[in-house]
């Protein structure tokens, strides 16, 4: 798996010490209980990059 440029820069400073990289995920539902689904952006590949 490729390392992101952000993590590579951190690694250049801290070496092999532990990195805490928090993240978040959620399931979004409407009043009828339907789940919101997001499509991936073709260039960015992440649904959160809208």
């Amino acid at each position: 798996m490729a390392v992101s440029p952000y993590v590579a820069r951190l690694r250049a400073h801290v070496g092999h010490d532990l990195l805490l990289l928090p993240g978040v995920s959620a399931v979004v539902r409407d009043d009828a209980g339907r789940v919101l689904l997001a499509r991936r952006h073709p260039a960015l590949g992440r649904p959160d990059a809208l």
Side-chain angles (χ1 to χ4, degrees):
M1 176 179 246
V3 175
S4 74
Y6 173 74
V7 173
R9 283 192 308 273
L10 284 175
R11 283 281 173 225
H13 291 285
V14 301
H16 293 287
D17 286 346
L18 177 66
L19 289 179
L20 298 178
L21 301 171
V24 126
S25 61
V27 176
V28 180
R29 295 178 179 253
D30 65 9
D31 292 336
R34 297 177 297 185
V35 176
L36 173 67
L37 299 176
R39 290 189 180 156
R40 289 178 177 249
H41 188 281
L44 302 176
R46 299 181 348 220
D48 61 341
L50 301 175

